[in-house]
Amino acid sequence: QVHVVESGGGLVQPGGSLRCSCVASPTFFSRSAMGWYRQAPEKQRELVAFISSGGATNYVDSVKGRFTISGDNAKNTMYLQMNSLKPEDTAVYYCNRVLYTSQSAAPGASWGQGTQVTVSS
């Protein structure tokens, strides 16, 4: 089952900004940590940022200071503000639950279509 819809990606120049959005079903979003994952060419999918139901946030070192994750419970929407984008950020970005036990998605998790972020001159 697909519980989320990602949008907001695009083609930007290095140093530019994008804001990705993830609209989730209420039951999927509620009482769960939610995160943004990305998969770059020739690399495995990685968790880059997540936010707990209480609002605490975590980031992978490579995006700290540049990316900000936030959520709007009333809109069942999560955002990823990406600033100072680098070519290395080029990837398909996905949102999904983050299991508190492993700080990763479940092995059999279903994924949305993702949104392509391309950073290039």
Side-chain angles (χ1 to χ4, degrees), residues 8-12 18 20 82 85 89-93 115-119:
L11 173 63
V12 297
L18 285 172
C20 293
M82 302 180 290
L85 283 162
D89 297 316
T90 296
V92 178
Y93 284 71
T115 186
Q116 175 71 53
V117 172
T118 302
V119 185

Side-chain angles (χ1 to χ4, degrees), residues 23-107:
V23 179
S25 63
T27 56
F28 193 80
F29 194 82
S30 181
R31 292 191 174 188
S32 297
M34 293 289 293
W36 284 96
Y37 302 76
R38 68 184 180 188
Q39 186 165 24
E42 304 297 320
K43 295 184 181 295
Q44 66 182 26
R45 184 153 37 207
E46 66 170 339
L47 177 66
V48 297
F50 70 92
I51 183 168
S52 73
S53 60
T57 59
N58 285 273
Y59 303 89
V60 69
D61 286 345
S62 60
V63 308
K64 285 181 178 177
R66 300 188 297 118
F67 290 10
T68 302
I69 188 171
S70 62
D72 186 335
N73 288 335
K75 296 180 179 180
N76 298 312
T77 302
M78 183 175 64
Y79 304 96
L80 185 67
Q81 178 67 46
M82 302 180 290
N83 299 325
S84 302
L85 283 162
K86 305 175 180 179
E88 306 92 90
D89 297 316
T90 296
V92 178
Y93 284 71
Y94 304 87
C95 63
N96 214 327
R97 287 172 167 170
V98 178
L99 300 182
Y100 79 91
T101 53
S102 61
Q103 297 191 163
S104 64

Side-chain angles (χ1 to χ4, degrees), residues 1-22:
Q1 300 182 61
V2 177
H3 299 278
V4 299
V5 177
E6 302 98 338
S7 63
L11 173 63
V12 297
Q13 303 298 307
S17 297
L18 285 172
R19 189 179 75 161
C20 293
S21 299
C22 169

